[in-house]
Amino acid sequence: MCDENINLEEYRSSMLAALSTDPADTEAMAELMCADCLICEDNIKDLGPSWRNTPFVEEILRYAPRVAESGQTTLVANVCERVADTLSYHPRLTLRLMRQQRMALAMEALPDNDDLHVLDKRIDLYERNIEAAGR
């Protein structure tokens, strides 16, 4: 993951530039996801509004499948988990992140993995709560 002491906006811009040059660069995608994660965490320090994280979450969700397919499943799972923790009032986005985290964990885990079972229960709870709120 990128160094937390660097200017995240500049680093993020450099990763976006790398992706504009080579859209298949999964290393740049992974680094962009990490920068987005750190920005999301910074955005909620001192109880800042979590709505500012929405574009970064969408970007993470866009690149996560390709980064996971490149073999960086642990990175994807960790980023999704950390970013989900920054979304206090966004259950649908949180659910999408949890599903992506589950996909990454499933790619590397044994079928009887306890982390998957816990995450499945959490996903089920979010799905039921979202469905109930929509009635």
CSV table of all heavy atoms in Angstrom, one decimal, residues 72-114:
chain,number,residue,atom,x,y,z
A,72,GLN,N,-4.0,-10.2,-6.4
A,72,GLN,CA,-3.9,-9.4,-5.3
A,72,GLN,C,-5.2,-9.4,-4.4
A,72,GLN,O,-5.7,-8.4,-4.1
A,72,GLN,CB,-3.5,-8.0,-5.7
A,72,GLN,CG,-2.2,-7.9,-6.4
A,72,GLN,CD,-1.8,-6.5,-6.7
A,72,GLN,OE1,-1.5,-5.7,-5.8
A,72,GLN,NE2,-1.7,-6.2,-8.0
A,73,THR,N,-5.6,-10.6,-4.1
A,73,THR,CA,-6.9,-10.8,-3.4
A,73,THR,C,-6.9,-10.2,-2.0
A,73,THR,O,-7.9,-9.7,-1.6
A,73,THR,CB,-7.3,-12.3,-3.4
A,73,THR,OG1,-6.3,-13.0,-2.9
A,73,THR,CG2,-7.6,-12.8,-4.8
A,74,THR,N,-5.8,-10.4,-1.3
A,74,THR,CA,-5.7,-9.9,0.0
A,74,THR,C,-5.8,-8.4,0.1
A,74,THR,O,-6.5,-7.8,0.9
A,74,THR,CB,-4.4,-10.4,0.7
A,74,THR,OG1,-4.3,-11.8,0.7
A,74,THR,CG2,-4.2,-9.9,2.1
A,75,LEU,N,-5.1,-7.7,-0.9
A,75,LEU,CA,-5.2,-6.3,-0.9
A,75,LEU,C,-6.6,-5.8,-1.2
A,75,LEU,O,-7.1,-4.9,-0.5
A,75,LEU,CB,-4.3,-5.8,-2.1
A,75,LEU,CG,-4.2,-4.3,-2.2
A,75,LEU,CD1,-2.9,-3.8,-2.5
A,75,LEU,CD2,-5.2,-3.8,-3.3
A,76,VAL,N,-7.3,-6.5,-2.1
A,76,VAL,CA,-8.7,-6.1,-2.4
A,76,VAL,C,-9.6,-6.3,-1.2
A,76,VAL,O,-10.4,-5.4,-0.8
A,76,VAL,CB,-9.2,-6.9,-3.6
A,76,VAL,CG1,-10.7,-6.7,-3.8
A,76,VAL,CG2,-8.5,-6.5,-4.9
A,77,ALA,N,-9.4,-7.4,-0.5
A,77,ALA,CA,-10.2,-7.7,0.7
A,77,ALA,C,-10.0,-6.7,1.8
A,77,ALA,O,-10.9,-6.2,2.4
A,77,ALA,CB,-10.0,-9.1,1.2
A,78,ASN,N,-8.7,-6.3,2.0
A,78,ASN,CA,-8.4,-5.4,3.0
A,78,ASN,C,-8.9,-4.0,2.7
A,78,ASN,O,-9.4,-3.3,3.6
A,78,ASN,CB,-6.8,-5.4,3.3
A,78,ASN,CG,-6.3,-6.6,3.9
A,78,ASN,OD1,-7.1,-7.3,4.6
A,78,ASN,ND2,-5.1,-6.9,3.8
A,79,VAL,N,-8.7,-3.5,1.5
A,79,VAL,CA,-9.2,-2.2,1.1
A,79,VAL,C,-10.7,-2.1,1.2
A,79,VAL,O,-11.2,-1.2,1.8
A,79,VAL,CB,-8.7,-1.9,-0.4
A,79,VAL,CG1,-9.5,-0.7,-0.9
A,79,VAL,CG2,-7.2,-1.6,-0.4
A,80,CYS,N,-11.4,-3.1,0.7
A,80,CYS,CA,-12.9,-3.1,0.8
A,80,CYS,C,-13.3,-3.1,2.3
A,80,CYS,O,-14.2,-2.4,2.6
A,80,CYS,CB,-13.4,-4.3,0.1
A,80,CYS,SG,-13.3,-4.2,-1.7
A,81,GLU,N,-12.7,-3.9,3.1
A,81,GLU,CA,-13.0,-3.9,4.5
A,81,GLU,C,-12.8,-2.5,5.2
A,81,GLU,O,-13.6,-2.0,5.9
A,81,GLU,CB,-12.3,-5.0,5.3
A,81,GLU,CG,-12.6,-5.1,6.8
A,81,GLU,CD,-11.9,-6.2,7.5
A,81,GLU,OE1,-10.8,-6.6,7.0
A,81,GLU,OE2,-12.5,-6.7,8.5
A,82,ARG,N,-11.6,-2.0,5.0
A,82,ARG,CA,-11.3,-0.7,5.6
A,82,ARG,C,-12.2,0.5,5.1
A,82,ARG,O,-12.6,1.3,5.8
A,82,ARG,CB,-9.8,-0.3,5.3
A,82,ARG,CG,-8.8,-1.1,6.1
A,82,ARG,CD,-7.4,-0.9,5.7
A,82,ARG,NE,-7.0,0.5,5.9
A,82,ARG,CZ,-5.7,0.9,5.8
A,82,ARG,NH1,-4.8,0.0,5.5
A,82,ARG,NH2,-5.4,2.1,6.1
A,83,VAL,N,-12.5,0.5,3.8
A,83,VAL,CA,-13.3,1.5,3.2
A,83,VAL,C,-14.8,1.3,3.7
A,83,VAL,O,-15.4,2.3,4.0
A,83,VAL,CB,-13.2,1.6,1.7
A,83,VAL,CG1,-14.2,2.5,1.1
A,83,VAL,CG2,-11.8,2.0,1.3
A,84,ALA,N,-15.2,0.1,3.8
A,84,ALA,CA,-16.6,-0.1,4.3
A,84,ALA,C,-16.7,0.5,5.7
A,84,ALA,O,-17.8,1.0,6.1
A,84,ALA,CB,-16.9,-1.6,4.3
A,85,ASP,N,-15.7,0.5,6.5
A,85,ASP,CA,-15.7,1.0,7.8
A,85,ASP,C,-15.8,2.6,7.8
A,85,ASP,O,-16.1,3.2,8.9
A,85,ASP,CB,-14.5,0.6,8.6
A,85,ASP,CG,-14.5,-0.8,9.0
A,85,ASP,OD1,-15.6,-1.5,9.0
A,85,ASP,OD2,-13.4,-1.4,9.4
A,86,THR,N,-15.6,3.2,6.7
A,86,THR,CA,-15.7,4.7,6.6
A,86,THR,C,-17.1,5.1,6.2
A,86,THR,O,-17.3,6.3,6.1
A,86,THR,CB,-14.7,5.2,5.6
A,86,THR,OG1,-15.0,4.9,4.3
A,86,THR,CG2,-13.3,4.8,5.9
A,87,LEU,N,-18.0,4.2,5.9
A,87,LEU,CA,-19.3,4.5,5.3
A,87,LEU,C,-20.4,4.3,6.4
A,87,LEU,O,-21.0,3.3,6.4
A,87,LEU,CB,-19.6,3.7,4.1
A,87,LEU,CG,-18.7,3.9,2.9
A,87,LEU,CD1,-19.0,2.8,1.8
A,87,LEU,CD2,-18.7,5.3,2.4
A,88,SER,N,-20.6,5.3,7.2
A,88,SER,CA,-21.5,5.1,8.3
A,88,SER,C,-23.0,5.1,7.9
A,88,SER,O,-23.8,4.4,8.5
A,88,SER,CB,-21.3,6.1,9.4
A,88,SER,OG,-21.2,7.4,8.9
A,89,TYR,N,-23.4,5.9,6.9
A,89,TYR,CA,-24.8,6.0,6.5
A,89,TYR,C,-25.0,5.6,5.0
A,89,TYR,O,-25.9,6.2,4.4
A,89,TYR,CB,-25.3,7.4,6.8
A,89,TYR,CG,-25.2,7.7,8.3
A,89,TYR,CD1,-24.3,8.6,8.8
A,89,TYR,CD2,-26.1,7.1,9.2
A,89,TYR,CE1,-24.2,8.9,10.1
A,89,TYR,CE2,-26.0,7.4,10.5
A,89,TYR,CZ,-25.1,8.3,11.0
A,89,TYR,OH,-25.0,8.6,12.3
A,90,HIS,N,-24.3,4.7,4.6
A,90,HIS,CA,-24.4,4.3,3.2
A,90,HIS,C,-24.5,2.7,3.1
A,90,HIS,O,-23.5,2.1,2.6
A,90,HIS,CB,-23.2,4.8,2.4
A,90,HIS,CG,-23.0,6.3,2.4
A,90,HIS,ND1,-23.8,7.1,1.7
A,90,HIS,CD2,-22.2,7.0,3.2
A,90,HIS,CE1,-23.4,8.4,1.9
A,90,HIS,NE2,-22.5,8.3,2.9
A,91,PRO,N,-25.6,2.2,3.5
A,91,PRO,CA,-25.7,0.7,3.5
A,91,PRO,C,-25.5,0.0,2.1
A,91,PRO,O,-24.9,-1.0,2.1
A,91,PRO,CB,-27.1,0.4,4.1
A,91,PRO,CG,-27.8,1.7,4.0
A,91,PRO,CD,-26.8,2.8,4.0
A,92,ARG,N,-26.0,0.6,1.1
A,92,ARG,CA,-25.9,0.0,-0.2
A,92,ARG,C,-24.5,0.0,-0.7
A,92,ARG,O,-24.0,-1.0,-1.3
A,92,ARG,CB,-26.8,0.7,-1.2
A,92,ARG,CG,-28.3,0.4,-1.1
A,92,ARG,CD,-29.2,1.1,-2.1
A,92,ARG,NE,-30.6,0.6,-1.9
A,92,ARG,CZ,-31.4,1.2,-1.0
A,92,ARG,NH1,-31.0,2.1,-0.2
A,92,ARG,NH2,-32.7,0.7,-1.0
A,93,LEU,N,-23.8,1.1,-0.5
A,93,LEU,CA,-22.3,1.1,-0.9
A,93,LEU,C,-21.6,0.1,0.0
A,93,LEU,O,-20.7,-0.6,-0.5
A,93,LEU,CB,-21.8,2.5,-0.8
A,93,LEU,CG,-21.8,3.4,-2.0
A,93,LEU,CD1,-21.2,4.7,-1.6
A,93,LEU,CD2,-21.1,2.8,-3.2
A,94,THR,N,-21.9,0.1,1.3
A,94,THR,CA,-21.2,-0.8,2.2
A,94,THR,C,-21.4,-2.3,1.7
A,94,THR,O,-20.5,-3.1,1.7
A,94,THR,CB,-21.7,-0.6,3.6
A,94,THR,OG1,-21.5,0.7,4.0
A,94,THR,CG2,-21.0,-1.5,4.6
A,95,LEU,N,-22.7,-2.6,1.4
A,95,LEU,CA,-23.0,-3.9,0.9
A,95,LEU,C,-22.2,-4.3,-0.4
A,95,LEU,O,-21.7,-5.4,-0.5
A,95,LEU,CB,-24.5,-4.0,0.6
A,95,LEU,CG,-25.0,-5.4,0.1
A,95,LEU,CD1,-24.7,-6.5,1.1
A,95,LEU,CD2,-26.5,-5.3,-0.2
A,96,ARG,N,-22.1,-3.3,-1.3
A,96,ARG,CA,-21.3,-3.6,-2.5
A,96,ARG,C,-19.8,-3.9,-2.2
A,96,ARG,O,-19.2,-4.8,-2.7
A,96,ARG,CB,-21.4,-2.4,-3.5
A,96,ARG,CG,-22.8,-2.3,-4.1
A,96,ARG,CD,-23.0,-1.1,-4.9
A,96,ARG,NE,-22.0,-1.0,-6.0
A,96,ARG,CZ,-21.7,0.1,-6.7
A,96,ARG,NH1,-22.3,1.2,-6.3
A,96,ARG,NH2,-20.8,0.1,-7.6
A,97,LEU,N,-19.3,-3.1,-1.2
A,97,LEU,CA,-17.9,-3.4,-0.8
A,97,LEU,C,-17.8,-4.7,-0.1
A,97,LEU,O,-16.8,-5.5,-0.4
A,97,LEU,CB,-17.4,-2.3,0.2
A,97,LEU,CG,-17.1,-1.0,-0.5
A,97,LEU,CD1,-17.0,0.2,0.6
A,97,LEU,CD2,-15.7,-1.1,-1.2
A,98,MET,N,-18.7,-5.1,0.7
A,98,MET,CA,-18.7,-6.4,1.4
A,98,MET,C,-18.8,-7.5,0.4
A,98,MET,O,-18.1,-8.5,0.5
A,98,MET,CB,-19.8,-6.5,2.4
A,98,MET,CG,-19.5,-5.7,3.7
A,98,MET,SD,-20.7,-6.0,5.0
A,98,MET,CE,-22.3,-5.6,4.3
A,99,ARG,N,-19.6,-7.4,-0.6
A,99,ARG,CA,-19.7,-8.4,-1.7
A,99,ARG,C,-18.3,-8.5,-2.4
A,99,ARG,O,-17.9,-9.7,-2.7
A,99,ARG,CB,-20.8,-8.1,-2.6
A,99,ARG,CG,-22.2,-8.3,-2.1
A,99,ARG,CD,-23.2,-7.9,-3.0
A,99,ARG,NE,-24.6,-8.2,-2.6
A,99,ARG,CZ,-25.6,-7.6,-2.9
A,99,ARG,NH1,-25.6,-6.6,-3.8
A,99,ARG,NH2,-26.8,-7.9,-2.4
A,100,GLN,N,-17.7,-7.4,-2.7
A,100,GLN,CA,-16.4,-7.5,-3.4
A,100,GLN,C,-15.4,-8.1,-2.5
A,100,GLN,O,-14.5,-8.8,-2.9
A,100,GLN,CB,-16.0,-6.0,-3.8
A,100,GLN,CG,-14.8,-6.0,-4.7
A,100,GLN,CD,-15.1,-6.7,-6.0
A,100,GLN,OE1,-16.1,-6.4,-6.7
A,100,GLN,NE2,-14.3,-7.7,-6.4
A,101,GLN,N,-15.4,-7.7,-1.2
A,101,GLN,CA,-14.5,-8.3,-0.2
A,101,GLN,C,-14.7,-9.8,-0.2
A,101,GLN,O,-13.7,-10.6,-0.1
A,101,GLN,CB,-14.7,-7.7,1.2
A,101,GLN,CG,-13.9,-8.3,2.3
A,101,GLN,CD,-14.3,-7.8,3.7
A,101,GLN,OE1,-15.2,-7.0,3.8
A,101,GLN,NE2,-13.6,-8.3,4.7
A,102,ARG,N,-15.9,-10.3,-0.2
A,102,ARG,CA,-16.2,-11.7,-0.1
A,102,ARG,C,-15.7,-12.4,-1.3
A,102,ARG,O,-15.1,-13.5,-1.3
A,102,ARG,CB,-17.7,-11.9,0.0
A,102,ARG,CG,-18.0,-13.4,0.4
A,102,ARG,CD,-19.3,-13.9,-0.2
A,102,ARG,NE,-19.5,-15.3,0.3
A,102,ARG,CZ,-18.9,-16.4,-0.1
A,102,ARG,NH1,-17.9,-16.3,-1.1
A,102,ARG,NH2,-19.1,-17.6,0.4
A,103,MET,N,-15.9,-11.8,-2.5
A,103,MET,CA,-15.4,-12.4,-3.7
A,103,MET,C,-13.9,-12.6,-3.7
A,103,MET,O,-13.3,-13.6,-4.0
A,103,MET,CB,-15.7,-11.5,-4.9
A,103,MET,CG,-15.3,-12.0,-6.3
A,103,MET,SD,-13.7,-11.6,-6.9
A,103,MET,CE,-13.5,-9.9,-6.7
A,104,ALA,N,-13.2,-11.5,-3.2
A,104,ALA,CA,-11.7,-11.6,-3.1
A,104,ALA,C,-11.3,-12.7,-2.0
A,104,ALA,O,-10.4,-13.5,-2.3
A,104,ALA,CB,-11.1,-10.3,-2.7
A,105,LEU,N,-12.0,-12.7,-0.9
A,105,LEU,CA,-11.7,-13.8,0.1
A,105,LEU,C,-11.9,-15.2,-0.4
A,105,LEU,O,-11.2,-16.1,-0.2
A,105,LEU,CB,-12.5,-13.5,1.4
A,105,LEU,CG,-12.0,-12.4,2.2
A,105,LEU,CD1,-13.0,-12.2,3.4
A,105,LEU,CD2,-10.6,-12.6,2.8
A,106,ALA,N,-13.0,-15.3,-1.2
A,106,ALA,CA,-13.4,-16.6,-1.7
A,106,ALA,C,-12.3,-17.1,-2.7
A,106,ALA,O,-12.1,-18.3,-2.9
A,106,ALA,CB,-14.7,-16.6,-2.4
A,107,MET,N,-11.7,-16.2,-3.4
A,107,MET,CA,-10.7,-16.6,-4.4
A,107,MET,C,-9.4,-17.2,-3.7
A,107,MET,O,-8.7,-17.9,-4.4
A,107,MET,CB,-10.3,-15.3,-5.2
A,107,MET,CG,-11.3,-14.9,-6.2
A,107,MET,SD,-10.9,-13.4,-7.0
A,107,MET,CE,-9.8,-14.0,-8.3
A,108,GLU,N,-9.2,-16.8,-2.5
A,108,GLU,CA,-8.0,-17.3,-1.8
A,108,GLU,C,-8.2,-18.2,-0.7
A,108,GLU,O,-7.3,-18.8,-0.1
A,108,GLU,CB,-7.2,-16.1,-1.3
A,108,GLU,CG,-7.8,-15.3,-0.2
A,108,GLU,CD,-7.0,-14.2,0.3
A,108,GLU,OE1,-6.1,-13.7,-0.4
A,108,GLU,OE2,-7.2,-13.8,1.5
A,109,ALA,N,-9.5,-18.4,-0.3
A,109,ALA,CA,-9.8,-19.1,1.0
A,109,ALA,C,-10.3,-20.5,0.7
A,109,ALA,O,-10.8,-20.8,-0.4
A,109,ALA,CB,-10.8,-18.3,1.8
A,110,LEU,N,-10.2,-21.3,1.7
A,110,LEU,CA,-10.8,-22.7,1.7
A,110,LEU,C,-12.3,-22.5,2.0
A,110,LEU,O,-12.7,-21.5,2.6
A,110,LEU,CB,-10.2,-23.5,2.8
A,110,LEU,CG,-8.7,-23.7,2.7
A,110,LEU,CD1,-8.1,-24.4,3.9
A,110,LEU,CD2,-8.4,-24.6,1.5
A,111,PRO,N,-13.1,-23.4,1.5
A,111,PRO,CA,-14.6,-23.3,1.6
A,111,PRO,C,-15.1,-23.1,3.1
A,111,PRO,O,-16.1,-22.5,3.3
A,111,PRO,CB,-15.1,-24.6,1.0
A,111,PRO,CG,-14.0,-25.1,0.2
A,111,PRO,CD,-12.7,-24.6,0.8
A,112,ASP,N,-14.4,-23.7,4.0
A,112,ASP,CA,-14.8,-23.6,5.4
A,112,ASP,C,-14.2,-22.5,6.2
A,112,ASP,O,-14.1,-22.5,7.4
A,112,ASP,CB,-14.6,-24.9,6.1
A,112,ASP,CG,-13.1,-25.3,6.2
A,112,ASP,OD1,-12.3,-24.7,5.4
A,112,ASP,OD2,-12.7,-26.2,7.0
A,113,ASN,N,-13.7,-21.4,5.5
A,113,ASN,CA,-13.1,-20.3,6.1
A,113,ASN,C,-14.1,-19.5,7.0
A,113,ASN,O,-15.1,-19.1,6.6
A,113,ASN,CB,-12.6,-19.4,5.0
A,113,ASN,CG,-11.8,-18.2,5.5
A,113,ASN,OD1,-12.3,-17.4,6.4
A,113,ASN,ND2,-10.6,-18.0,5.0
A,114,ASP,N,-13.7,-19.3,8.3
A,114,ASP,CA,-14.5,-18.6,9.2
A,114,ASP,C,-14.8,-17.2,8.8
A,114,ASP,O,-15.9,-16.7,9.0
A,114,ASP,CB,-13.9,-18.6,10.6
A,114,ASP,CG,-14.0,-20.0,11.3
A,114,ASP,OD1,-14.9,-20.8,10.9
A,114,ASP,OD2,-13.2,-20.3,12.2
